[in-house]
Amino acid sequence: MMRTRPLKVALLGCGVVGSEVTRIMTTHADDLAARIGAPVELAGIAVRRPDKVREGVPAELVTTDATALVKRGDIDVVIEVIGGIEPARTLITTAFEHGASVVSANKALVAADGAALHAAAEANGADLYYEAAVAGAIPLVRPLRESLAGDKVNRVLGIVNGTTNFILDKMDSTGAGYSEALDEATALGYAEADPTADVEGFDAAAKAAILAGIAFHTRVTIDDVHREGLTEVTAADIASAKRMGCTVKLLAICERAVDGASVTARVHPAMIPLTHPLASVREAYNAVFVEAEAAGQLMFYGPGAGGSPTASAVLGDLVAVCRNKLAGATGPGESAYTRLPVSPMGAVVTRYHISLDVADKPGVLAQVATIFAEHGVSIDTVRQSGKDGEASLVIVTHRAADAALSSTVGALRELDTVRGVASIMRVEGE
């Protein structure tokens, strides 16, 4: 039997995502009520600019006093889509203290302070859900947190930023350079006016921290994630990848060590074979590849950003949280019982693609090979080309630790015959 008294919802933020949340809550009110077991009522919308025209948003619900809104004793659920650290963190904790559960799309805050937020939710008997914080509409947080709760996840490998995937896809398909591809992404609305968070990997690193924490049942913050952006990726790198039967993607990689004693989390460009499922992810789409002990290999794919996809994830969490409210229960909270340390990037073992500019004369390859051998890095393949006294060496290694590769490159730079290190890129997915 459906309860007639509505569950009241406060919305913090009414931009692209917030406006779409409002629209769906209004147009699908009957369906949401049927799925939850009670009506849901949008009781207030906190914004910074009340005079902005927001089509379909009831003006009488708009307020600039977000604090007063979350302190109302009749609010059951707060939806936070304003982003950033503050005032979001204070508003969320205040909501918990006043009896409300929270649905958030705030990847930066969850990645930086998820443990404290979960503790505040638990202390107040409330829920904290954030499916929309990672990969937009793609169901990923809940499958990791609930569907795979009985399994052991060993690796999460994914494309979790649509802007960077669009840029790299255009570089691969058209031969464009980074700047040209970024300009196209900006013109189409995929890249912000200031694309730093995307192209320098900050956005993906926040998502990697969240995924690693859930997958490995340990605390991982954004400060634990090694981060490299794609601004140094060149058309030559893309061409080299093609010659190897690979493509270049900006990957978020979370791994459990073979001995199970530690984990790693990293974001960086990498070459992946065209045979890998992630290689076929085009345009601004996201995809995450999960490797679990019992379930095997799973892939989650779909639109990773945008108003409607993100709102879909928010509303899914809203239904779950409201059901918990009606049942007088809470859903899964933080699971960090393993307390595994996060290993530094230097301990990560992978393959590498290195391009060197060298003098075109006898003995150079032997010198370079000796340096690799002295630092314990085994060479898989070498390709050499050159003329007029200058040459290029492209070397692909067997698996080696990042620290060993770094020391190798440092020694190579000391050789008189090595004019420069044109590029270094990891090779993943094999």
Side-chain angles (χ1 to χ4, degrees), residues 228-247:
E228 298 172 29
L230 54 70
T231 56
E232 301 301 317
V233 176
T234 66
D237 293 327
I238 302 294
S240 290
K242 284 186 174 182
R243 285 192 289 270
M244 289 177 58
C246 293
T247 189

Side-chain angles (χ1 to χ4, degrees), residues 155 157 272-280 289 291 299 428-430:
R155 194 173 196 228
L157 173 75
I272 59 172
L274 294 176
T275 53
H276 193 281
L278 291 178
S280 62
F289 200 69
E291 299 175 12
M299 183 165 161
E428 301 283 352
E430 296 185 319

Side-chain angles (χ1 to χ4, degrees), residues 102-411:
V102 173
V103 172
S104 176
N106 195 332
K107 54 187 168 286
L109 179 57
V110 175
D113 212 16
L117 294 176
H118 275 293
E122 183 178 359
N124 290 280
D127 274 324
L128 172 64
Y129 276 48
Y130 42 86
E131 183 68 66
V134 181
I138 305 172
L140 187 58
V141 170
R142 195 169 302 152
L144 282 173
R145 192 160 67 168
E146 299 179 30
S147 303
L148 294 173
D151 207 340
K152 181 181 180 182
V153 176
N154 291 316
R155 194 173 196 228
V156 179
L157 173 75
I159 298 165
V160 294
N161 183 273
T163 300
T164 52
N165 199 58
F166 179 89
I167 291 170
L168 290 171
D169 183 43
K170 289 303 171 185
M171 291 176 69
D172 182 83
S173 61
T174 69
Y178 165 75
S179 296
E180 292 85 356
L182 174 59
D183 288 343
E184 184 175 354
T186 304
L188 292 172
Y190 292 125
E192 301 286 348
D194 179 1
T196 303
D198 294 322
V199 300
E200 294 293 353
F202 290 100
D203 175 85
K207 295 169 181 176
I210 295 170
L211 292 175
I214 298 170
F216 306 135
H217 302 278
T218 197
R219 286 181 178 169
V220 180
T221 71
I222 191 169
D223 292 335
D224 296 317
V225 180
H226 173 83
R227 175 192 55 78
E228 298 172 29
L230 54 70
T231 56
E232 301 301 317
V233 176
T234 66
D237 293 327
I238 302 294
S240 290
K242 284 186 174 182
R243 285 192 289 270
M244 289 177 58
C246 293
T247 189
V248 177
K249 298 292 186 182
L250 184 75
L251 298 178
I253 305 171
C254 312
E255 293 179 306
R256 188 191 301 268
V258 175
D259 62 6
S262 64
V263 299
T264 58
R266 50 197 165 103
V267 167
H268 54 71
M271 296 180 180
I272 59 172
L274 294 176
T275 53
H276 193 281
L278 291 178
S280 62
V281 179
R282 309 294 300 274
E283 298 285 330
Y285 277 78
N286 284 192
V288 177
F289 200 69
V290 176
E291 299 175 12
E293 198 166 89
Q297 298 178 332
L298 309 170
M299 183 165 161
F300 302 83
Y301 169 85
S308 293
T310 306
S312 172
V314 168
L315 269 295
D317 278 351
L318 177 65
V319 170
V321 169
C322 286
R323 286 172 175 170
N324 291 343
K325 280 280 184 181
L326 292 179
T330 56
E334 183 191 33
S335 176
Y337 72 93
T338 63
R339 297 182 175 85
L340 295 174
V342 182
S343 296
M345 187 62 192
V348 170
V349 175
T350 189
R351 297 178 69 205
Y352 293 86
H353 175 281
I354 304 105
S355 179
L356 303 174
D357 295 326
V358 299
D360 187 15
K361 62 182 184 180
V364 174
L365 179 57
Q367 284 184 316
V368 169
T370 298
I371 294 293
F372 274 85
E374 289 175 348
H375 289 81
V377 179
S378 176
I379 294 175
D380 182 19
T381 63
V382 178
R383 186 175 71 251
Q384 183 174 6
S385 61
K387 62 180 180 178
D388 300 327
E390 298 296 330
S392 174
L393 277 180
V394 176
I395 297 169
V396 179
T397 74
H398 288 289
R399 290 174 64 83
D402 187 85
L405 195 281
S406 295
S407 63
T408 302
V409 172

